[in-house]
Structure formats: structure tokens, C-alpha cells
Amino acid sequence: MRKKGLSVMLCAAMAASLLAGCGGGSKPAETTAAPAAETTAAAADTTAAPEKSESEAKDDAASGDLIVVGYAQVGAESDWRTANTESFKSTFTEENGYKLIFDDAQQKQENQIKAIRSFIQQDVDYIVVAPVVETGWEAVLQEAQEAGIPVILSDRQMDVDESLYECWVGGNFSREGETAGNWLADYLKAQGRDGEDINIVTLQGTIGASAQVGRTEGFGNILKQHDNWKMLDMQTGEFTQAKGQEVMESFLKSYDDIDVVVAENDNMAFGAIDAIKAAGKTCGPDGDIIIFSFDAVKAAFDAMIAGDLNAAFECNPLHGPRVDEIIKKLEKGETVEKIQYVDEAYFDTSMDLESIKAERAY
């Protein structure tokens, strides 16, 4: 429900020393959400009344009765982020009963904190944040809570008390890293290289971001299971192609025996591929170096089809419809699960990539 209704509910709840909903002390069971669930029309009030039709939602838009959502985005550092932003902009429209206030933080936490405070001042109904890093949010989230504005986290998580936000929607980053590690083990075995010493370098994402933390940890869990795998180096490429290329150039100068490159997003992989080729080496299924990445945007499919990239591990960016669904439940006074993972898969050059790419929205 909107914060105006929430304020009344919270006051009554405090008087009774009970607090219902996502911010309670116990952690709800994790659920897996479909990545592109169909959106439904906005609810009219906090009761379980029938949902509004599309024409009714348009009437609300015309009359100004819109749900106002402030979205503090990380930036536009990658193709994945562009798809994620578009998912929100195409979902939170006036035709769907929303007014979206969008802010691009340009990869700076201080910009996001400023944006959240601006949303509070503008008296929005909901705040959605894709945090740059996990720490340093307590004060501003407390301000949002005191203003009665529910906060929903998208993509990346925050290391804060769970009572300060309604829920989080995103990928299971640690599982993505483990899936990649298990894929590499199977790939090396199929090549008859499972007994060889394997030298690995990692292009990490922005240090402290949930995706970086989870993917590094997840792959590291599998790394520990293989005594013949050696991690030569790990450096941040900040999730950008330019920085990924720069770091890969440094790796190639420092190590002449790299077998595997782990790129914690597609764009850094593209930069690494450029650096590898410029150094006179090759990569991909028939190359000198095995390279795989995370996100699985369409450009990653192009790289696999071209034979430059071995595999891509999906991180579904289409969070807009899922957040829309969450807001509709909150509008009716319903509770929502605290942790909500989107569905994800992986893709490699053994698959019919052309057909898969043709079916994808990003």
C-alpha cells in the first residue's frame, strides 16, 4: 500500500507492539520469480477488490491518481544495465498507473543517496534502489522509513537491517559463480584437461557490489575443490569494457601462461577479448584462452557465435514486471517474500545460439 496508508497502519501496529509485513524479525522463505511475468493493472486501494482494467488505469493516469515510484539506478555501465533500465521504464508508465522518477547515479553511491533523499522530499509512494555497493545505507534508509516510504532493492543487495527495506529482487550471484565453476570443470574434463594445471585470472566487477561479491565467492567455492586450478590474479574492471580491456592488457603482460579468464560481466569480457587479440593470442572454443562471462546479453551471444567467448551465465535484467507485481501486492496490504530470485540459465557454444538469441528480449 502507499505510504499514506502505511503511516496509519504503522501507528496502529506500533501501539499494539506488532509489526506485520516484510520488515518483521523472521526471514521469509526464498522464492524464485519468473523473469518476465505478465504485468497486471494497478489495484485501486488496499482491499482485495478486482484489479483495474487497462482503460481504468489510463483514466487514473489522466486524473493524476498515479503511484509515484522513485528509481535510483546504478548507472549505464553495461548492456545489462541498459536492459534493466529499459525494463523499469517500459513497466512504470502512466498507462500502467505509475509515475516514474528515474535517477542515474553514474556509479557513485553519494549520487544515489542524494537521489533517495530527493525522492523523500518529493513524497514518492515507493523507492526502488539498485545499490552501487552493499554498505553505507543505514542513515538514508532510516530517513525513508521515518517518512513511511517502502524501499525495494533491485539487482544488488544492501548490508543493512532487513527492517529497513521491503524486499529484494535479483539474481543468485553466488549460485551463478558456482554454476560457472562447475561448467569449467566439466568443460576441462571433456577436453581431457582435468588433470592439467590450470592458470586463471578474474576480471572482477565493482568491488563491494553484490554481483562482484557473489560471483567471486561462488566461483571461489568451486576453485577450492580443484587443487590443480591456480588463481593467478584478480583485479576489478569496474563492470566496463574499457576497464576490462585495460586490466586484461596488464594480466597479459604479467602472465604468459593464462588458461582461463573469468569476466564477472559481459562487457569486461568484450574488453578482454580485444586485449587478447591485440596481444596476438586467441580465445574461445578454438583459442589459446578459455573465457566466459556473466549476464548473457545478446552481444555475448554474438561473441559466442563468432567463436570468441566460450560461455555466458545469465543474470536476468528484466526486474520491472516483478517489482510492479510486488508493488501491487503492497497496495492491497499483502506481505511479500523478502528474497525473490529471478530465473536464470547458462549458454555455451555447444547450443543452438542463433535460435536462442532470436527468442531473447535482451
Side-chain angles (χ1 to χ4, degrees):
M1 67 186 67
R2 304 190 207 185
K3 69 184 186 64
K4 289 79 175 178
L6 272 174
S7 298
V8 176
M9 293 279 291
L10 285 171
C11 289
M14 289 175 64
S17 299
L18 295 173
L19 181 60
C22 282
S26 61
K27 183 177 180 179
E30 295 175 354
T31 61
T32 300
E38 289 187 0
T39 59
T40 53
D45 52 32
T46 61
T47 68
E51 294 178 344
K52 293 184 179 182
S53 67
E54 182 177 348
S55 62
E56 288 173 322
K58 290 180 178 180
D59 288 342
D60 276 352
S63 66
D65 185 17
L66 300 173
I67 299 173
V68 182
V69 177
Y71 182 37
Q73 176 63 287
V74 171
E77 79 283 1
S78 64
D79 294 342
W80 188 96
R81 190 65 56 188
T82 300
N84 179 250
T85 293
E86 179 56 31
S87 177
F88 278 92
K89 288 185 174 180
S90 62
T91 300
F92 291 94
T93 63
E94 290 191 358
E95 289 76 14
N96 289 337
Y98 292 100
K99 175 182 178 182
L100 178 66
I101 304 174
F102 178 84
D103 186 272
D104 180 338
Q106 300 180 345
Q107 302 271 346
K108 296 180 180 179
Q109 183 182 30
E110 58 267 30
N111 289 346
Q112 283 195 311
I113 291 174
K114 186 183 298 183
I116 293 169
R117 289 190 168 128
S118 175
F119 296 155
I120 295 170
Q121 291 175 354
Q122 293 178 72
D123 202 30
V124 302
D125 296 305
Y126 296 90
I127 293 173
V128 182
V129 188
V132 175
V133 294
E134 292 189 352
T135 60
W137 302 99
E138 289 84 355
V140 72
L141 291 195
Q142 185 67 47
E143 293 170 24
Q145 187 176 73
E146 290 171 357
I149 304 175
V151 174
I152 298 169
L153 307 184
S154 170
D155 177 32
R156 302 176 180 180
Q157 296 178 322
M158 292 182 180
D159 184 12
V160 296
D161 189 285
E162 290 185 353
S163 66
L164 293 176
Y165 62 92
E166 291 291 330
C167 60
W168 170 86
V169 176
N172 190 330
F173 303 123
S174 181
R175 185 181 298 166
E176 291 170 10
E178 290 181 350
T179 300
N182 287 324
W183 173 89
L184 178 61
D186 291 341
Y187 185 81
L188 291 170
K189 184 175 181 179
Q191 288 191 321
R193 300 181 61 188
D194 49 319
E196 292 182 16
D197 290 336
I198 302 297
N199 293 322
I200 306 171
V201 295
T202 297
L203 295 165
Q204 295 176 292
T206 304
I207 299 301
S210 298
Q212 177 274 310
V213 173
R215 289 167 187 167
T216 298
E217 178 185 81
F219 185 80
N221 291 339
I222 308 303
L223 178 73
K224 294 173 186 176
Q225 300 174 15
H226 298 272
D227 295 337
N228 58 319
W229 292 10
K230 181 180 180 182
M231 184 63 69
L232 298 176
D233 210 338
M234 295 192 295
Q235 292 184 32
T236 180
E238 298 175 359
F239 287 130
T240 69
Q241 183 166 337
K243 188 66 174 178
Q245 181 172 348
E246 177 186 324
V247 174
M248 191 66 217
E249 289 170 352
S250 175
F251 284 161
L252 290 166
K253 290 176 183 177
S254 300
Y255 311 101
D256 58 6
D257 54 353
I258 297 171
D259 297 302
V260 177
V261 175
V262 181
E264 290 186 347
N265 84 336
D266 293 333
N267 287 75
M268 290 190 296
F270 304 151
I273 290 167
D274 289 341
I276 290 167
K277 289 182 176 180
K281 295 179 180 285
T282 58
C283 54
D286 298 319
D288 306 314
I289 299 173
I290 298 167
I291 179 168
F292 57 84
S293 60
F294 297 84
D295 287 353
V297 298
K298 283 189 174 181
F301 280 77
D302 293 335
M304 287 188 285
I305 292 166
D308 294 327
L309 187 69
N310 292 78
F313 297 84
E314 185 176 45
C315 181
N316 196 313
L318 307 182
H319 296 179
R322 189 71 186 107
V323 175
D324 168 55
E325 179 183 333
I326 290 166
I327 288 176
K328 287 187 170 75
K329 287 183 177 181
L330 294 173
E331 285 287 290
K332 295 182 194 176
E334 298 178 10
T335 59
V336 295
E337 302 290 349
K338 201 73 175 182
I339 301 293
Q340 303 195 31
Y341 292 126
V342 293
D343 288 339
E344 297 175 329
Y346 78 88
F347 311 93
D348 64 24
T349 53
S350 71
M351 302 174 183
D352 184 358
L353 298 172
E354 291 279 10
S355 296
I356 297 171
K357 175 188 170 185
E359 302 264 334
R360 289 173 70 75
Y362 56 92

